[in-house]
Amino acid sequence: MQKEENSLYPFPVSALQMFGEKRRVPDIYERLNDLMGMNSLAVLGNCVSQLGLGGLPSKSFGCLFGLSGRTIAFHGNAKKSFEPKKEQQQIVSQEDEHNVSKRLHKDLSFFPRSITDSVLSNNPKDDPNVRIAFKGLPGCYSEDAALKMYPKCQSVPCDRFEDTFKAVELWLADKAVLPIENSAGGSIYWNYDLLLCHRLHIVGEVQLAANLCLLALPGIREEQLRRVLSHHQALASSDAFLSKLGTIQEDVDDTAGAAQYVALEGLRDAGAIASARAAAMYGLNILAERIQDDAENITRFLVLAREPIIPKLDKAYKTSIVFTLHEGPGILFKALAVFALREINLIKIESRPQIKQPVRVVDDSNMGKAKYFDYLFYIDFEASMAEPRAQSALEQLQELTTFLRVLGCYAMDTTL
């Protein structure tokens, strides 16, 4: 079987092969590390020849570095592209040195800059204009996760998870915060599928300990409630408390939406399970706090962006990948062994049937043709893509896969 497109962070191997370059990924990373001190990918574009990619057509440069279509990619010979015409030289000669410097500074401001983990962690706290998309209404737990990582961010509420991806892709938001797993409810499989359908990169993670609160209109007591509204996951996580309360449970799309509905409709016989911040936002009273069955109810969120970050070695990093495997005995064992042999810790393994081709037909000599589910494997491992062992592991894994894509390399969140 011919291999499908393999995509190694941040250089798609298929793109290198397409343009006649069959370089080892570690070699490219070593050369990239030598250029880490540069301030922008635009300047890095001048050094394509140093990376050994000078023969690539201009369109391939933006593809290799994950630059989006509306970002200015700089490729080719910079001296030739910025050489002024004679008429421009005459105008410049009449201007003073200050104006020339000012014009040059303005031009350089349009160059795309590389995203590093320092930019990711520091700029949002200093810049109140960073826009974060999330599913739900203001006051939901996804917004709490966004505010934990970006305390001064501007919220971009969305109706659906897929809308958060589109908001970033269409430049309506700078980043998206997406729940991916919960300690009580497990993985959110729909969001795993969305990661594969879109080309956003994971640039961070947030772990949020939920405080589920029972909310009601001012003056309403617990014994007056006949029904409780909330998201199905919040209802399931507080099942023991609600059973003692003896109320009817009504599933709605969002915890904050439940609080808003109770407040706007003035429902005196209904309560909502939502956050304490939602109570303050919609003018409700908190009747009970921490009503979840498990005291440590933690949700992990992913932070998505249009461009990947450049990984470093200064802190604990996590890398997320997705792949499919060739057919054969022990193939999954061999795939996992590439990490064990390099002492790389696997944090999470998730499998999902392929949506477009869920069934694989296998010619079995004893049983004839058999049909099996064809799976996608999502793996998180504890290593930075700047480490040679991680690069080597993915290079060997590529030989066993029909498809391989790095979803992102990002700093681990160790706080609650």
Side-chain angles (χ1 to χ4, degrees):
M1 179 183 297
Q2 186 177 358
K3 282 192 177 185
E4 300 176 9
E5 178 180 315
N6 287 265
S7 182
L8 288 177
Y9 174 95
F11 303 98
V13 174
S14 60
L16 296 178
Q17 295 173 345
M18 183 186 305
F19 297 111
E21 293 288 337
K22 299 182 179 179
R23 299 184 179 275
R24 295 173 60 251
V25 174
D27 292 341
I28 296 175
Y29 264 101
E30 290 171 4
R31 300 189 183 188
L32 178 61
N33 290 335
D34 294 337
L35 300 170
M36 281 291 194
M38 298 186 176
N39 292 327
S40 68
L41 284 179
V43 177
L44 192 58
N46 291 330
C47 305
V48 173
S49 59
Q50 298 183 38
L51 287 171
L53 305 176
L56 294 179
S58 60
K59 290 184 179 179
S60 66
F61 182 75
C63 171
L64 292 178
F65 287 91
L67 299 177
S68 55
R70 297 180 65 178
T71 304
I72 299 175
F74 182 49
H75 30 247
N77 190 340
K79 294 182 180 180
K80 182 177 180 180
S81 60
F82 279 91
E83 183 178 354
K85 298 180 180 179
K86 292 183 179 180
E87 296 82 2
Q88 294 173 327
Q89 289 177 343
Q90 293 175 358
I91 296 175
V92 172
S93 63
Q94 296 174 3
E95 296 180 339
D96 58 28
E97 182 178 354
H98 174 73
N99 290 337
V100 174
S101 299
K102 186 175 181 181
R103 173 181 292 185
L104 179 60
H105 176 74
K106 182 178 180 181
D107 290 340
L108 290 176
S109 67
F110 285 98
F111 292 168
R113 294 185 178 274
S114 58
I115 298 180
T116 63
D117 58 344
S118 60
V119 171
L120 180 70
S121 59
N122 295 330
N123 282 5
K125 296 181 181 180
D126 300 330
D127 182 9
N129 296 320
V130 62
R131 301 162 300 173
I132 308 298
F134 56 86
K135 177 189 177 295
L137 294 178
C140 67
Y141 290 102
S142 291
E143 188 181 37
D144 287 346
L147 291 172
K148 179 184 176 181
M149 193 163 192
Y150 309 99
K152 296 183 179 180
C153 70
Q154 293 183 12
S155 298
V156 183
C158 300
D159 291 335
R160 303 178 304 162
F161 287 126
E162 188 167 10
D163 292 339
T164 65
F165 285 82
K166 294 180 180 178
V168 178
E169 292 169 342
L170 296 175
W171 294 72
L172 301 175
D174 300 304
K175 296 177 178 66
V177 170
L178 184 77
I180 198 66
E181 61 180 338
N182 176 266
S183 58
S187 298
I188 304 175
Y189 298 113
W190 174 252
N191 288 343
Y192 273 101
D193 296 336
L194 289 176
L195 287 174
L196 192 62
C197 295
H198 295 264
R199 298 296 296 182
L200 298 184
H201 303 270
I202 304 175
V203 296
E205 68 173 359
V206 182
Q207 295 187 117
L208 183 71
N211 174 18
L212 298 183
C213 303
L214 178 63
L215 314 180
L217 291 174
I220 301 299
R221 301 185 303 274
E222 285 187 20
E223 55 268 23
Q224 295 177 266
L225 299 179
R226 297 293 177 265
R227 53 191 176 128
V228 174
L229 290 69
S230 192
H231 186 269
H232 67 86
Q233 183 61 54
L235 294 173
S237 298
S238 52
D239 182 67
F241 175 86
L242 294 177
S243 297
K244 292 181 181 179
L245 193 61
T247 57
I248 299 173
Q249 303 177 21
E250 295 186 13
D251 181 12
V252 297
D253 191 53
D254 177 33
T255 56
Q260 183 193 64
Y261 182 72
V262 171
L264 292 180
E265 298 297 325
L267 302 179
R268 302 185 64 83
D269 67 334
I273 297 178
S275 66
R277 200 166 58 85
M281 187 171 295
Y282 298 109
L284 300 177
N285 282 353
I286 299 178
L287 302 182
E289 291 191 68
R290 302 194 178 280
I291 64 174
Q292 60 265 27
D293 297 341
D294 299 322
E296 296 296 330
N297 190 323
I298 301 171
T299 302
R300 187 169 74 97
F301 295 80
L302 300 178
V303 182
L304 308 174
R306 288 179 292 272
E307 297 89 3
I309 64 171
I310 298 177
K312 294 182 179 180
L313 300 173
D314 57 339
K315 61 182 69 174
Y317 273 83
K318 180 185 295 185
T319 301
S320 298
I321 63 175
V322 57
F323 59 88
T324 58
L325 293 168
H326 285 298
E327 182 63 31
I331 190 67
L332 179 58
F333 171 80
K334 295 176 184 177
L336 300 181
V338 305
F339 300 99
L341 293 174
R342 294 164 178 83
E343 297 186 350
I344 296 177
N345 182 32
L346 297 183
I347 303 175
K348 180 179 176 64
I349 302 176
E350 193 77 49
S351 62
R352 291 282 291 153
Q354 291 203 58
I355 298 177
K356 294 183 178 180
Q357 295 179 338
V359 177
R360 175 183 295 186
V361 179
V362 180
D363 189 2
D364 191 321
S365 58
N366 296 325
M367 304 293 296
K369 289 187 177 181
K371 295 182 179 181
Y372 304 100
F373 268 117
D374 199 6
Y375 288 96
L376 288 162
F377 295 95
Y378 293 84
I379 286 183
D380 294 344
F381 62 86
E382 191 174 350
S384 169
M385 281 301 298
E387 298 181 55
R389 61 173 183 159
Q391 301 163 18
S392 175
L394 292 191
E395 185 180 24
Q396 184 177 355
L397 179 63
Q398 182 185 350
E399 300 174 0
L400 305 172
T401 64
T402 59
F403 167 81
L404 172 62
R405 175 179 163 192
V406 175
L407 299 171
C409 180
Y410 47 96
M412 298 176 61
D413 181 19
T414 57
T415 63
L416 289 177

